[in-house]
Amino acid sequence: NANRILHSINTLDELLKRFAESIAEAVGADRVTILLSERNSFLQHYPPNSDSGPLNLAANDPLVTTLDKHREPLGSENIQRLHSASMLKDAGRRLAELKSAIAVGIYSKAKVEGVMLLGPRLSGRIYGATEQDTLQILCNQLAVALENARLYTQVQDGKIYNDILLDNLVSGVIAA
């Protein structure tokens, strides 16, 4: 289902909504939050509205830097398995502050383009290694779909601009 969503042509908002809902249903997460890179931070794009305002992580946030360095999903179980470096402990604290069970990086062109945060599973089970690997593969595919959605949105915006421009011209237009 996620693969079908990723290969369909969508606007950015529709793509994120359908992808997050599909992931939440598949793994039984109580919530999915997707943050995308904008300038020097990662801003919440899904869900679009939250009571406390959009979540914003700095580019040098321990969670982001750990995801960038290790290139694998980060959950409390991973932090215990990996070396107990200060950066990992900070990332683990940050994950707990965000009330998330796991963070998955969205990588494009060798850098982090986004972060997907998943809440605890409704069943209470942890995210196993196979599920984490699958989530990482899907997030890698999401990075490509995000680029396509951005291009599609730009084309749609250009079409709307041209339509408005032509509709409001006082003089005629001749095309050869």
Side-chain angles (χ1 to χ4, degrees), residues 5 10-19 142 145-146 149:
I5 291 167
N10 289 306
T11 62
L12 183 61
D13 293 338
E14 181 65 20
L15 172 68
L16 293 176
K17 178 182 183 293
R18 291 178 60 197
F19 181 78
L142 176 62
L146 286 170

Side-chain angles (χ1 to χ4, degrees), residues 33-52:
T33 305
I34 300 176
L35 298 95
L36 299 177
S37 177
E38 288 190 13
R39 296 177 202 88
N40 291 326
S41 66
F42 290 80
L43 186 63
Q44 178 179 330
H45 280 258
Y46 182 85
N49 299 321
S50 66
D51 298 334
S52 59

